[in-house]
Amino acid sequence: MVRAGVHSIEHGTFLGDDTLRLMKEKGVYFVPTIATVQDLIDPGGDYDDAILQIRGRAMMPRAREVTSKARRMGIKIVAGTDTGYLPRNNRRIPDEIVELVNVGIPLMDAIKAATSVAAQCLGVEKRTGSIRAGYEADFVIVDRNPLDDIRNVQDVLIVINKGRIAVNRLNP
């Protein structure tokens, strides 16, 4: 796929060293979706199935190993999940950010994987992905500093989309 010119690889649990080297050489982004593998393991959520739980437990060590290796190689990592944000979903982007930190990605780099690096991967970095004058005001407000504890990204209080409050847990 990398030789064919893909721009990003999602999941990639079983990527080998040769493919990772080629991804680095070609500038291919990696979206590991570790939180989705965790969703396979945990009861409930999108993938509530005993066979998928077994598969997820077998996949998780490899997913973490490949992501850590990709990061050490300098491959651009993007935070992503497979959830549709429906009531049954139990994994979100903040969960993926936490997983990225758990495999050794520095706190701010994990946050950038969900913001500026994700915007670069999608080709929208000239209008969103960071807080700048003239950019779309798309961001979240959390209660505590995620640089003190990355799990703080999981407690979203306010969501701003295109400059408007979309979710406000402070004033429901």
Side-chain angles (χ1 to χ4, degrees):
M1 292 190 305
V2 176
R3 284 191 183 101
V6 299
H7 182 70
S8 66
I9 292 181
E10 288 68 32
H11 306 296
T13 300
F14 301 106
L15 291 173
D17 290 348
D18 291 342
T19 302
L20 289 170
R21 279 191 288 278
L22 194 55
M23 288 173 68
K24 171 65 178 164
E25 177 186 317
K26 303 280 186 184
V28 174
Y29 292 82
F30 180 36
V31 188
T33 65
I34 302 169
T36 300
V37 177
Q38 187 63 49
D39 193 24
L40 292 174
I41 297 167
D42 292 341
D46 288 341
Y47 310 101
D48 195 10
D49 178 271
I51 292 172
L52 290 177
Q53 288 173 356
I54 293 167
R55 182 162 171 74
R57 283 192 296 275
M59 292 170 62
M60 184 57 87
R62 284 294 301 272
R64 289 180 171 146
E65 174 188 326
V66 167
T67 304
S68 181
K69 186 179 287 188
R71 170 64 182 164
R72 287 191 310 273
M73 293 174 74
I75 294 169
K76 295 176 192 171
I77 307 288
V78 176
T81 69
D82 278 354
T83 62
Y85 285 82
L86 301 171
R88 184 177 161 158
N89 303 133
N90 62 7
R91 292 291 179 268
R92 306 273 190 260
I93 292 296
D95 299 302
E96 184 70 2
I97 294 169
V98 170
E99 290 290 350
L100 294 177
V101 169
N102 288 341
V103 299
I105 295 176
L107 296 163
M108 188 51 110
D109 289 345
I111 292 169
K112 288 178 180 179
T115 56
S116 58
V117 179
Q120 291 167 8
C121 179
L122 295 171
V124 296
E125 73 278 8
K126 292 185 178 172
R127 63 181 171 91
T128 193
S130 59
I131 300 172
R132 295 184 183 186
Y135 276 38
E136 294 175 10
D138 296 335
F139 55 92
V140 298
I141 298 171
V142 296
D143 186 39
R144 297 203 165 136
N145 187 349
L147 298 178
D148 293 335
D149 182 344
I150 197 61
R151 293 172 298 184
N152 289 333
V153 299
Q154 295 171 314
D155 188 18
V156 175
L157 300 177
I158 298 174
V159 176
I160 308 287
N161 180 251
K162 295 184 180 178
R164 298 184 182 214
I165 295 174
V167 174
N168 186 344
R169 288 185 40 226
L170 295 177
N171 294 315

PDB file of all heavy atoms in Angstrom, residues 124-150:
ATOM      1  N   VAL A 124      -6.141  19.932   5.989  1.00  0.00           N
ATOM      2  CA  VAL A 124      -6.920  21.111   6.382  1.00  0.00           C
ATOM      3  C   VAL A 124      -6.144  22.000   7.356  1.00  0.00           C
ATOM      4  O   VAL A 124      -6.719  22.850   8.037  1.00  0.00           O
ATOM      5  CB  VAL A 124      -8.291  20.710   6.978  1.00  0.00           C
ATOM      6  CG1 VAL A 124      -9.154  20.020   5.925  1.00  0.00           C
ATOM      7  CG2 VAL A 124      -8.133  19.820   8.210  1.00  0.00           C
ATOM      8  N   GLU A 125      -4.835  21.827   7.410  1.00  0.00           N
ATOM      9  CA  GLU A 125      -4.002  22.538   8.386  1.00  0.00           C
ATOM     10  C   GLU A 125      -3.942  24.047   8.171  1.00  0.00           C
ATOM     11  O   GLU A 125      -3.518  24.774   9.063  1.00  0.00           O
ATOM     12  CB  GLU A 125      -2.589  21.949   8.413  1.00  0.00           C
ATOM     13  CG  GLU A 125      -1.728  22.279   7.221  1.00  0.00           C
ATOM     14  CD  GLU A 125      -1.953  21.393   6.003  1.00  0.00           C
ATOM     15  OE1 GLU A 125      -2.891  20.575   5.985  1.00  0.00           O
ATOM     16  OE2 GLU A 125      -1.178  21.518   5.042  1.00  0.00           O
ATOM     17  N   LYS A 126      -4.399  24.538   7.023  1.00  0.00           N
ATOM     18  CA  LYS A 126      -4.384  25.987   6.783  1.00  0.00           C
ATOM     19  C   LYS A 126      -5.645  26.671   7.297  1.00  0.00           C
ATOM     20  O   LYS A 126      -5.779  27.885   7.181  1.00  0.00           O
ATOM     21  CB  LYS A 126      -4.184  26.269   5.302  1.00  0.00           C
ATOM     22  CG  LYS A 126      -2.806  25.859   4.852  1.00  0.00           C
ATOM     23  CD  LYS A 126      -2.510  26.230   3.445  1.00  0.00           C
ATOM     24  CE  LYS A 126      -1.078  25.792   3.178  1.00  0.00           C
ATOM     25  NZ  LYS A 126      -0.656  25.887   1.862  1.00  0.00           N
ATOM     26  N   ARG A 127      -6.561  25.865   7.873  1.00  0.00           N
ATOM     27  CA  ARG A 127      -7.775  26.467   8.430  1.00  0.00           C
ATOM     28  C   ARG A 127      -8.154  25.946   9.807  1.00  0.00           C
ATOM     29  O   ARG A 127      -8.980  26.544  10.492  1.00  0.00           O
ATOM     30  CB  ARG A 127      -8.944  26.315   7.472  1.00  0.00           C
ATOM     31  CG  ARG A 127      -9.359  24.897   7.189  1.00  0.00           C
ATOM     32  CD  ARG A 127     -10.520  24.895   6.184  1.00  0.00           C
ATOM     33  NE  ARG A 127     -10.822  23.590   5.714  1.00  0.00           N
ATOM     34  CZ  ARG A 127     -11.702  22.777   6.278  1.00  0.00           C
ATOM     35  NH1 ARG A 127     -12.373  23.162   7.337  1.00  0.00           N
ATOM     36  NH2 ARG A 127     -11.936  21.582   5.773  1.00  0.00           N
ATOM     37  N   THR A 128      -7.544  24.840  10.243  1.00  0.00           N
ATOM     38  CA  THR A 128      -7.875  24.282  11.554  1.00  0.00           C
ATOM     39  C   THR A 128      -6.722  23.413  12.056  1.00  0.00           C
ATOM     40  O   THR A 128      -5.766  23.171  11.337  1.00  0.00           O
ATOM     41  CB  THR A 128      -9.200  23.487  11.504  1.00  0.00           C
ATOM     42  OG1 THR A 128      -9.640  23.213  12.825  1.00  0.00           O
ATOM     43  CG2 THR A 128      -9.057  22.192  10.718  1.00  0.00           C
ATOM     44  N   GLY A 129      -6.819  22.968  13.293  1.00  0.00           N
ATOM     45  CA  GLY A 129      -5.784  22.101  13.858  1.00  0.00           C
ATOM     46  C   GLY A 129      -4.918  22.803  14.886  1.00  0.00           C
ATOM     47  O   GLY A 129      -4.182  22.162  15.626  1.00  0.00           O
ATOM     48  N   SER A 130      -4.983  24.122  14.893  1.00  0.00           N
ATOM     49  CA  SER A 130      -4.280  24.902  15.916  1.00  0.00           C
ATOM     50  C   SER A 130      -5.069  26.186  16.149  1.00  0.00           C
ATOM     51  O   SER A 130      -5.936  26.541  15.354  1.00  0.00           O
ATOM     52  CB  SER A 130      -2.835  25.195  15.500  1.00  0.00           C
ATOM     53  OG  SER A 130      -2.796  25.906  14.284  1.00  0.00           O
ATOM     54  N   ILE A 131      -4.762  26.853  17.241  1.00  0.00           N
ATOM     55  CA  ILE A 131      -5.485  28.076  17.587  1.00  0.00           C
ATOM     56  C   ILE A 131      -4.690  29.257  17.036  1.00  0.00           C
ATOM     57  O   ILE A 131      -3.612  29.582  17.537  1.00  0.00           O
ATOM     58  CB  ILE A 131      -5.684  28.185  19.113  1.00  0.00           C
ATOM     59  CG1 ILE A 131      -6.498  26.989  19.612  1.00  0.00           C
ATOM     60  CG2 ILE A 131      -6.371  29.504  19.463  1.00  0.00           C
ATOM     61  CD1 ILE A 131      -6.586  26.893  21.118  1.00  0.00           C
ATOM     62  N   ARG A 132      -5.234  29.850  15.972  1.00  0.00           N
ATOM     63  CA  ARG A 132      -4.581  30.979  15.305  1.00  0.00           C
ATOM     64  C   ARG A 132      -5.644  31.934  14.782  1.00  0.00           C
ATOM     65  O   ARG A 132      -6.746  31.518  14.445  1.00  0.00           O
ATOM     66  CB  ARG A 132      -3.758  30.496  14.112  1.00  0.00           C
ATOM     67  CG  ARG A 132      -2.597  29.636  14.485  1.00  0.00           C
ATOM     68  CD  ARG A 132      -1.798  29.279  13.281  1.00  0.00           C
ATOM     69  NE  ARG A 132      -0.727  28.388  13.693  1.00  0.00           N
ATOM     70  CZ  ARG A 132       0.216  27.972  12.904  1.00  0.00           C
ATOM     71  NH1 ARG A 132       0.239  28.342  11.650  1.00  0.00           N
ATOM     72  NH2 ARG A 132       1.153  27.163  13.354  1.00  0.00           N
ATOM     73  N   ALA A 133      -5.274  33.185  14.665  1.00  0.00           N
ATOM     74  CA  ALA A 133      -6.175  34.182  14.088  1.00  0.00           C
ATOM     75  C   ALA A 133      -6.556  33.758  12.674  1.00  0.00           C
ATOM     76  O   ALA A 133      -5.699  33.360  11.883  1.00  0.00           O
ATOM     77  CB  ALA A 133      -5.510  35.554  14.077  1.00  0.00           C
ATOM     78  N   GLY A 134      -7.838  33.806  12.379  1.00  0.00           N
ATOM     79  CA  GLY A 134      -8.337  33.451  11.053  1.00  0.00           C
ATOM     80  C   GLY A 134      -8.665  31.980  10.871  1.00  0.00           C
ATOM     81  O   GLY A 134      -9.260  31.603   9.869  1.00  0.00           O
ATOM     82  N   TYR A 135      -8.273  31.140  11.813  1.00  0.00           N
ATOM     83  CA  TYR A 135      -8.574  29.705  11.723  1.00  0.00           C
ATOM     84  C   TYR A 135      -9.964  29.444  12.297  1.00  0.00           C
ATOM     85  O   TYR A 135     -10.472  30.225  13.105  1.00  0.00           O
ATOM     86  CB  TYR A 135      -7.553  28.886  12.515  1.00  0.00           C
ATOM     87  CG  TYR A 135      -6.280  28.578  11.757  1.00  0.00           C
ATOM     88  CD1 TYR A 135      -5.693  29.507  10.904  1.00  0.00           C
ATOM     89  CD2 TYR A 135      -5.659  27.367  11.922  1.00  0.00           C
ATOM     90  CE1 TYR A 135      -4.527  29.218  10.238  1.00  0.00           C
ATOM     91  CE2 TYR A 135      -4.484  27.071  11.251  1.00  0.00           C
ATOM     92  CZ  TYR A 135      -3.931  27.995  10.405  1.00  0.00           C
ATOM     93  OH  TYR A 135      -2.778  27.706   9.735  1.00  0.00           O
ATOM     94  N   GLU A 136     -10.563  28.339  11.863  1.00  0.00           N
ATOM     95  CA  GLU A 136     -11.830  27.929  12.448  1.00  0.00           C
ATOM     96  C   GLU A 136     -11.621  27.680  13.935  1.00  0.00           C
ATOM     97  O   GLU A 136     -10.637  27.060  14.321  1.00  0.00           O
ATOM     98  CB  GLU A 136     -12.326  26.636  11.792  1.00  0.00           C
ATOM     99  CG  GLU A 136     -12.688  26.812  10.346  1.00  0.00           C
ATOM    100  CD  GLU A 136     -13.065  25.508   9.667  1.00  0.00           C
ATOM    101  OE1 GLU A 136     -13.237  24.478  10.352  1.00  0.00           O
ATOM    102  OE2 GLU A 136     -13.183  25.527   8.440  1.00  0.00           O
ATOM    103  N   ALA A 137     -12.509  28.174  14.736  1.00  0.00           N
ATOM    104  CA  ALA A 137     -12.384  27.999  16.187  1.00  0.00           C
ATOM    105  C   ALA A 137     -13.019  26.667  16.573  1.00  0.00           C
ATOM    106  O   ALA A 137     -14.169  26.591  16.967  1.00  0.00           O
ATOM    107  CB  ALA A 137     -13.035  29.162  16.923  1.00  0.00           C
ATOM    108  N   ASP A 138     -12.263  25.591  16.419  1.00  0.00           N
ATOM    109  CA  ASP A 138     -12.685  24.244  16.800  1.00  0.00           C
ATOM    110  C   ASP A 138     -11.777  23.787  17.929  1.00  0.00           C
ATOM    111  O   ASP A 138     -10.591  23.544  17.701  1.00  0.00           O
ATOM    112  CB  ASP A 138     -12.537  23.260  15.633  1.00  0.00           C
ATOM    113  CG  ASP A 138     -13.424  23.589  14.455  1.00  0.00           C
ATOM    114  OD1 ASP A 138     -14.460  24.233  14.651  1.00  0.00           O
ATOM    115  OD2 ASP A 138     -13.071  23.191  13.332  1.00  0.00           O
ATOM    116  N   PHE A 139     -12.299  23.706  19.125  1.00  0.00           N
ATOM    117  CA  PHE A 139     -11.485  23.237  20.238  1.00  0.00           C
ATOM    118  C   PHE A 139     -12.353  22.800  21.400  1.00  0.00           C
ATOM    119  O   PHE A 139     -13.562  23.001  21.395  1.00  0.00           O
ATOM    120  CB  PHE A 139     -10.446  24.275  20.678  1.00  0.00           C
ATOM    121  CG  PHE A 139     -10.986  25.633  21.025  1.00  0.00           C
ATOM    122  CD1 PHE A 139     -11.346  25.948  22.327  1.00  0.00           C
ATOM    123  CD2 PHE A 139     -11.114  26.606  20.049  1.00  0.00           C
ATOM    124  CE1 PHE A 139     -11.829  27.197  22.641  1.00  0.00           C
ATOM    125  CE2 PHE A 139     -11.591  27.866  20.367  1.00  0.00           C
ATOM    126  CZ  PHE A 139     -11.953  28.159  21.666  1.00  0.00           C
ATOM    127  N   VAL A 140     -11.709  22.176  22.363  1.00  0.00           N
ATOM    128  CA  VAL A 140     -12.397  21.731  23.572  1.00  0.00           C
ATOM    129  C   VAL A 140     -11.770  22.413  24.776  1.00  0.00           C
ATOM    130  O   VAL A 140     -10.607  22.815  24.736  1.00  0.00           O
ATOM    131  CB  VAL A 140     -12.345  20.197  23.758  1.00  0.00           C
ATOM    132  CG1 VAL A 140     -13.048  19.482  22.612  1.00  0.00           C
ATOM    133  CG2 VAL A 140     -10.926  19.703  23.925  1.00  0.00           C
ATOM    134  N   ILE A 141     -12.565  22.523  25.820  1.00  0.00           N
ATOM    135  CA  ILE A 141     -12.074  23.052  27.088  1.00  0.00           C
ATOM    136  C   ILE A 141     -12.217  21.942  28.114  1.00  0.00           C
ATOM    137  O   ILE A 141     -13.290  21.331  28.239  1.00  0.00           O
ATOM    138  CB  ILE A 141     -12.873  24.298  27.514  1.00  0.00           C
ATOM    139  CG1 ILE A 141     -12.687  25.406  26.471  1.00  0.00           C
ATOM    140  CG2 ILE A 141     -12.445  24.760  28.911  1.00  0.00           C
ATOM    141  CD1 ILE A 141     -13.586  26.598  26.653  1.00  0.00           C
ATOM    142  N   VAL A 142     -11.121  21.662  28.793  1.00  0.00           N
ATOM    143  CA  VAL A 142     -11.124  20.636  29.836  1.00  0.00           C
ATOM    144  C   VAL A 142     -10.935  21.314  31.186  1.00  0.00           C
ATOM    145  O   VAL A 142     -10.472  22.448  31.271  1.00  0.00           O
ATOM    146  CB  VAL A 142     -10.045  19.559  29.581  1.00  0.00           C
ATOM    147  CG1 VAL A 142     -10.342  18.791  28.296  1.00  0.00           C
ATOM    148  CG2 VAL A 142      -8.653  20.162  29.530  1.00  0.00           C
ATOM    149  N   ASP A 143     -11.289  20.608  32.248  1.00  0.00           N
ATOM    150  CA  ASP A 143     -11.268  21.175  33.587  1.00  0.00           C
ATOM    151  C   ASP A 143      -9.855  21.351  34.136  1.00  0.00           C
ATOM    152  O   ASP A 143      -9.565  22.326  34.820  1.00  0.00           O
ATOM    153  CB  ASP A 143     -12.088  20.294  34.532  1.00  0.00           C
ATOM    154  CG  ASP A 143     -12.247  20.900  35.918  1.00  0.00           C
ATOM    155  OD1 ASP A 143     -12.434  22.126  36.015  1.00  0.00           O
ATOM    156  OD2 ASP A 143     -12.177  20.139  36.901  1.00  0.00           O
ATOM    157  N   ARG A 144      -8.982  20.403  33.824  1.00  0.00           N
ATOM    158  CA  ARG A 144      -7.624  20.431  34.376  1.00  0.00           C
ATOM    159  C   ARG A 144      -6.602  20.296  33.256  1.00  0.00           C
ATOM    160  O   ARG A 144      -6.895  19.781  32.192  1.00  0.00           O
ATOM    161  CB  ARG A 144      -7.456  19.303  35.383  1.00  0.00           C
ATOM    162  CG  ARG A 144      -8.410  19.499  36.549  1.00  0.00           C
ATOM    163  CD  ARG A 144      -7.944  18.785  37.763  1.00  0.00           C
ATOM    164  NE  ARG A 144      -8.690  19.302  38.895  1.00  0.00           N
ATOM    165  CZ  ARG A 144      -9.210  18.562  39.823  1.00  0.00           C
ATOM    166  NH1 ARG A 144      -9.047  17.257  39.805  1.00  0.00           N
ATOM    167  NH2 ARG A 144      -9.871  19.107  40.813  1.00  0.00           N
ATOM    168  N   ASN A 145      -5.391  20.700  33.553  1.00  0.00           N
ATOM    169  CA  ASN A 145      -4.312  20.731  32.577  1.00  0.00           C
ATOM    170  C   ASN A 145      -3.906  19.308  32.164  1.00  0.00           C
ATOM    171  O   ASN A 145      -3.405  18.544  32.993  1.00  0.00           O
ATOM    172  CB  ASN A 145      -3.110  21.465  33.173  1.00  0.00           C
ATOM    173  CG  ASN A 145      -2.007  21.688  32.169  1.00  0.00           C
ATOM    174  OD1 ASN A 145      -2.006  21.144  31.071  1.00  0.00           O
ATOM    175  ND2 ASN A 145      -1.041  22.510  32.551  1.00  0.00           N
ATOM    176  N   PRO A 146      -4.045  18.968  30.895  1.00  0.00           N
ATOM    177  CA  PRO A 146      -3.631  17.634  30.445  1.00  0.00           C
ATOM    178  C   PRO A 146      -2.120  17.427  30.473  1.00  0.00           C
ATOM    179  O   PRO A 146      -1.662  16.293  30.440  1.00  0.00           O
ATOM    180  CB  PRO A 146      -4.181  17.535  29.026  1.00  0.00           C
ATOM    181  CG  PRO A 146      -4.460  18.924  28.608  1.00  0.00           C
ATOM    182  CD  PRO A 146      -4.682  19.736  29.839  1.00  0.00           C
ATOM    183  N   LEU A 147      -1.354  18.494  30.560  1.00  0.00           N
ATOM    184  CA  LEU A 147       0.095  18.335  30.659  1.00  0.00           C
ATOM    185  C   LEU A 147       0.518  17.926  32.063  1.00  0.00           C
ATOM    186  O   LEU A 147       1.642  17.477  32.260  1.00  0.00           O
ATOM    187  CB  LEU A 147       0.807  19.612  30.215  1.00  0.00           C
ATOM    188  CG  LEU A 147       0.555  20.003  28.755  1.00  0.00           C
ATOM    189  CD1 LEU A 147       1.265  21.299  28.420  1.00  0.00           C
ATOM    190  CD2 LEU A 147       0.952  18.896  27.798  1.00  0.00           C
ATOM    191  N   ASP A 148      -0.391  18.062  33.034  1.00  0.00           N
ATOM    192  CA  ASP A 148      -0.149  17.545  34.384  1.00  0.00           C
ATOM    193  C   ASP A 148      -0.528  16.066  34.461  1.00  0.00           C
ATOM    194  O   ASP A 148       0.138  15.291  35.126  1.00  0.00           O
ATOM    195  CB  ASP A 148      -0.957  18.324  35.426  1.00  0.00           C
ATOM    196  CG  ASP A 148      -0.485  19.761  35.576  1.00  0.00           C
ATOM    197  OD1 ASP A 148       0.688  20.040  35.277  1.00  0.00           O
ATOM    198  OD2 ASP A 148      -1.307  20.599  35.981  1.00  0.00           O
ATOM    199  N   ASP A 149      -1.596  15.705  33.772  1.00  0.00           N
ATOM    200  CA  ASP A 149      -2.083  14.318  33.721  1.00  0.00           C
ATOM    201  C   ASP A 149      -2.891  14.186  32.440  1.00  0.00           C
ATOM    202  O   ASP A 149      -3.956  14.799  32.299  1.00  0.00           O
ATOM    203  CB  ASP A 149      -2.952  14.006  34.938  1.00  0.00           C
ATOM    204  CG  ASP A 149      -3.456  12.564  34.968  1.00  0.00           C
ATOM    205  OD1 ASP A 149      -3.404  11.867  33.926  1.00  0.00           O
ATOM    206  OD2 ASP A 149      -3.913  12.141  36.039  1.00  0.00           O
ATOM    207  N   ILE A 150      -2.392  13.418  31.496  1.00  0.00           N
ATOM    208  CA  ILE A 150      -3.015  13.327  30.170  1.00  0.00           C
ATOM    209  C   ILE A 150      -4.470  12.860  30.252  1.00  0.00           C
ATOM    210  O   ILE A 150      -5.285  13.197  29.394  1.00  0.00           O
ATOM    211  CB  ILE A 150      -2.188  12.438  29.215  1.00  0.00           C
ATOM    212  CG1 ILE A 150      -2.599  12.679  27.765  1.00  0.00           C
ATOM    213  CG2 ILE A 150      -2.303  10.974  29.591  1.00  0.00           C
ATOM    214  CD1 ILE A 150      -2.391  14.092  27.275  1.00  0.00           C
TER     215      ILE A 150
END
